[in-house]
Amino acid sequence: MKKTLFASFCLLLSSLFSCQQKGSDFETLDVKQFAQIIARPDVQLVDVRTPAEHAEGHIKGSILIDVNDSLFSEKADSLLDKQRPVALYCRSGRRSKKAATLLSRKGYKVYELGTGYLGWEKAHQ
């Protein structure tokens, strides 16, 4: 009985630690917090929407890397410095969470705008 409990406990601990290593770790920010983060000179600002959406309006200084592009990870690795934080946004916050998960799993320090560009525009009218 004790061996079974101990084995179960060890299995639980190992699965928790393996999940942490494989999981994502990023911060979702509101517009005010996001504005403070992107004001830092070391932060890389990335728009993960489509080129058409980006052309309609974007946050000044952002790099466009469409998260739905099959080469998203490769483009991110070629355009971004893993040693510098990345701030992501999309239209509403859904795609930026997807991108944040992908990049944080690759070792990037990631912040994402929870309300997306729609929230950004509303706050800056």
Side-chain angles (χ1 to χ4, degrees):
M1 175 79 169
K2 286 183 181 180
K3 285 184 179 181
T4 305
L5 283 173
F6 181 74
S8 297
F9 180 73
C10 289
L11 182 62
L12 176 66
L13 281 178
S14 68
S15 67
L16 286 173
F17 286 111
S18 66
C19 287
Q20 283 182 338
Q21 292 171 350
K22 294 178 184 174
S24 58
D25 183 28
F26 60 88
E27 288 184 55
T28 298
L29 306 176
D30 63 28
V31 172
K32 184 177 179 181
Q33 294 167 318
F34 195 78
Q36 291 171 340
I37 288 292
I38 66 172
R40 294 178 15 197
D42 63 322
V43 174
Q44 304 166 97
L45 178 59
V46 180
D47 182 342
V48 298
R49 300 176 300 160
T50 66
E53 289 172 302
H54 184 81
E56 290 176 5
H58 57 272
I59 301 174
K60 185 178 178 179
S62 62
I63 301 166
L64 176 64
I65 310 174
D66 183 350
V67 71
N68 290 326
D69 185 323
S70 62
L71 297 175
F72 172 78
S73 290
E74 290 83 357
K75 288 180 180 180
D77 284 340
S78 71
L79 296 171
L80 301 174
D81 179 351
K82 205 177 261 189
Q83 304 306 314
R84 296 172 48 209
V86 178
L88 306 170
Y89 71 93
C90 64
R91 181 179 175 271
S92 65
R94 185 179 222 169
R95 285 174 284 174
S96 60
K97 285 173 184 53
K98 176 183 174 181
T101 298
L102 293 169
L103 293 180
S104 64
R105 285 182 179 165
K106 292 176 69 86
Y108 290 89
K109 172 64 180 162
V110 180
Y111 302 96
E112 69 94 20
L113 179 57
T115 60
Y117 188 69
L118 294 176
W120 180 268
E121 279 190 311
K122 185 176 181 181
H124 289 92
Q125 289 180 342

